[in-house]
Amino acid sequence: MTKQIAIIGAGSWGTALAVLWTKHGKAITLWGNNAERIEHLAATRENHDYLPGVILPPSIQVTCELADCAKAELIVFVTPSVAVRAIANRIQSFINNPNIVLLSCTKGIEHGTGMRMSQILNEVFPEHRVAVLSGPNLAVEVSQDLPTATVLGCRDQACAAELQQLLGSARFRIYTSEEVTGIELGGALKNVFAIPAGASDGIGLGDNSKAALITRSLAELLRLGTAMGGNPRTFYGLSGAGDLIATCFSRHSRNRRVGEQLGRGESLHDITSGMQMVAEGIPTTKGAYECARKSGIETPIIDQVYAVLYEGKSPVQAMEELLGRDQKAERL
């Protein structure tokens, strides 16, 4: 594989990956959908809206034309989950080389279908190898070259090893796995659980409550993730417990911040209206709620998050109902 990489999505995570991999000699094309924003990024070399203070090296080509990405041998999807299918369909018409590898760095579950991002890519690109990347990878810290670990999943072991060598470094340590399903579900579902973790901060419930909530969130993630085909062991790794910890506690976490604002009494409409970036936990909650209903899995935390986001329940009432559930034996 050559060093030509196209990153589809010029938000904070796409920008951080572009900066990271450029430092290690990779030729990067960074695509964004907003022509005006891309023009400004090309001129200033700073992504003011999504990653302020981080300067893009001159070698990174920025573009709003998907055709400019079609010649890369690795195409990395870092768009919001709700846009993956549409953008994959758009770029598909420009790609005629089945040897191009597709890497999903997007975390989410598609509403209506319950599909993971790699499943969408496999559907649109049935002849291509598809891999996924997930873990406790906050964009701000990656862009600052702070030590980070992540897991790369691909059913083709040779492809996974090749990507590990291509993209990994001392500051961005990549572990490989054949277990794609669990990696994706861990990365997607943790965004849902970060919302009530943030709400507990906003309400002021304290560290004991938050620790208990996160621990029970891991148990719920295991139940639903296993029912959806994930390996239970995967959820104890970087893309499960690791990402859950980072997202529920970090001040950089958008989903935790949304929950904190809800806990303080702000409306979801006002919160999202003031955000430049997508909080993936909001659309993923809908997909996770649907999957739990189809699977017949008990998901009290997801159910309450869904009620707050989509049915107008107050976070305080949701927390009280969780605390008021019957006491029972602990099971993971």
Side-chain angles (χ1 to χ4, degrees):
M1 187 182 296
T2 69
K3 297 180 180 180
Q4 184 64 45
I5 301 170
I7 297 176
I8 309 297
S12 58
W13 188 214
T15 302
L17 290 174
V19 171
L20 169 73
W21 290 332
T22 299
K23 288 178 182 177
H24 297 282
K26 312 301 185 293
I28 303 292
T29 299
L30 178 63
W31 176 89
N33 193 48
N34 187 308
E36 183 179 350
R37 185 176 286 129
I38 287 297
E39 183 179 355
H40 186 258
L41 179 58
T44 65
R45 310 305 296 180
E46 182 181 358
N47 198 336
H48 295 276
D49 291 333
Y50 294 105
L51 207 59
V54 177
I55 304 302
L56 270 66
S59 57
I60 296 178
Q61 176 192 2
V62 295
T63 181
C64 61
E65 300 293 336
L66 283 173
D68 293 338
C69 303
K71 293 182 180 179
E73 294 200 54
L74 173 63
I75 298 179
V76 183
F77 285 81
V78 202
T79 69
S81 61
V82 296
V84 166
R85 183 180 293 277
I87 292 175
N89 282 321
R90 285 173 57 189
I91 197 172
Q92 195 269 344
S93 63
F94 298 108
I95 295 176
N96 53 24
N97 178 6
N99 293 318
I100 293 175
V101 176
L102 309 175
L103 175 64
S104 172
C105 297
T106 297
K107 300 174 180 179
I109 298 171
E110 188 177 42
H111 168 52
T113 69
M115 293 177 72
R116 296 173 280 107
M117 300 300 104
S118 71
Q119 291 177 305
I120 295 172
L121 294 179
N122 276 313
E123 187 173 272
V124 178
F125 302 96
E127 297 181 357
H128 293 255
R129 291 172 294 172
V130 175
V132 301
L133 184 77
S134 186
N137 304 152
L138 295 159
V140 171
E141 295 188 1
V142 170
S143 70
Q144 294 170 347
D145 212 25
L146 295 174
T148 299
T150 191
V151 58
L152 189 148
C154 186
R155 293 187 175 89
D156 184 326
Q157 287 184 316
C159 180
E162 196 171 5
L163 290 173
Q164 182 184 47
Q165 287 297 114
L166 178 69
L167 305 175
S169 62
R171 293 278 174 161
F172 192 68
R173 185 175 177 84
I174 295 178
Y175 293 83
T176 61
S177 173
E178 296 178 67
E179 213 278 277
V180 173
T181 302
I183 292 171
E184 285 191 284
L185 291 175
L189 293 173
K190 58 89 185 180
N191 285 325
V192 177
F193 298 121
I195 294 174
S200 74
D201 291 334
I203 295 169
L205 295 183
D207 292 339
N208 288 342
S209 297
K210 187 172 181 179
L213 178 64
I214 294 169
T215 304
R216 296 315 302 166
S217 293
L218 178 59
E220 196 162 303
L221 191 160
L222 273 161
R223 283 200 305 274
L224 181 56
T226 302
M228 293 177 66
N231 185 325
R233 293 175 61 88
T234 303
F235 300 119
Y236 290 107
L238 288 167
S239 66
D243 210 357
L244 182 68
I245 292 167
T247 309
C248 288
F249 281 100
S250 175
R251 67 187 188 279
H252 300 304
S253 166
R254 294 191 293 275
N255 296 285
R256 192 210 64 81
R257 193 179 311 126
V258 166
E260 183 175 14
Q261 291 173 287
L262 288 169
R264 290 175 177 169
E266 298 180 44
S267 73
L268 182 62
H269 177 269
D270 289 345
I271 294 167
T272 55
S273 296
M275 294 178 66
Q276 290 281 359
M277 296 174 276
V278 174
E280 286 286 3
I282 297 173
T284 300
T285 294
K286 188 177 289 186
Y289 181 83
E290 292 170 348
C291 289
R293 303 285 78 73
K294 292 176 183 176
S295 303
I297 300 299
E298 184 182 13
T299 53
I301 299 173
I302 290 173
D303 295 355
Q304 293 293 350
V305 178
Y306 181 88
V308 169
L309 296 180
Y310 295 104
E311 297 176 348
K313 181 180 285 187
S314 76
V316 172
Q317 182 184 353
M319 287 292 184
E320 287 177 349
E321 290 184 14
L322 282 174
L323 292 170
R325 298 178 71 241
D326 291 340
Q327 300 187 71
K328 53 188 178 182
E330 182 182 35
R331 292 186 179 89
L332 288 177

